[in-house]
Amino acid sequence: MATITLELPDQLAERLNHVGHQLPHLLTYALDSAGIAPTTLPVAEHSPLLEEAISFLAQGPTPSDIVRFKFSAPAQERLEWLLTQAQTDSLMAVEQSELNTYRQLNHLFILLKAQARIEPA
């Protein structure tokens, strides 16, 4: 763990004396709230779209299955919620990571569907 020395106004230093043990959590929360991304983005531990994509692809779909594939309504709702939050800059870092995963999956499925359309079924 790193040690950091800070110069703070006396009033703020006094407030921090009472919550010193929570300072790492408070700093993380403040940075996330301010939209300051970490050097390494946290990984979204639960991603419905990613789980659905893996489950679908693990079944060995045919090209026509790939063309017809759509994510479930709950997964779509989660994506729409993340997109709405992103418009208001209300995403936490882990949610931004989840949204980035969704964007990558969307791009992947665009490519898969394009390839599936030119291959015989």
Side-chain angles (χ1 to χ4, degrees), residues 11-12 24 38 45 59 64 72 74 93 100 103 115-116 119 121:
Q11 199 173 41
L12 180 56
E45 292 182 20
Q59 296 173 19
S64 59
S72 69
N100 291 342
R103 287 177 172 146
Q115 183 66 37
E119 289 183 10

Side-chain angles (χ1 to χ4, degrees), residues 3 8 18 25 31 35-37 41 53 73 79 87 95 119 121:
T3 301
L8 303 169
H18 302 290
H25 174 71
L31 291 170
I36 299 171
L41 289 174
L79 175 56
Q87 290 176 343
E95 292 167 333
E119 289 183 10

Side-chain angles (χ1 to χ4, degrees), residues 60-104:
T62 65
S64 59
D65 292 335
I66 292 171
V67 170
R68 288 191 310 269
F69 177 77
K70 292 186 184 205
F71 288 102
S72 69
Q76 285 290 339
E77 288 171 16
R78 175 67 177 166
L79 175 56
E80 289 172 21
W81 182 86
L82 287 169
L83 289 168
T84 300
Q85 294 302 110
Q87 290 176 343
T88 61
D89 293 326
S90 301
L91 288 179
M92 295 180 64
V94 72
E95 292 167 333
Q96 183 62 54
S97 178
E98 183 179 3
L99 181 56
N100 291 342
T101 298
Y102 289 178
R103 287 177 172 146
Q104 291 172 347

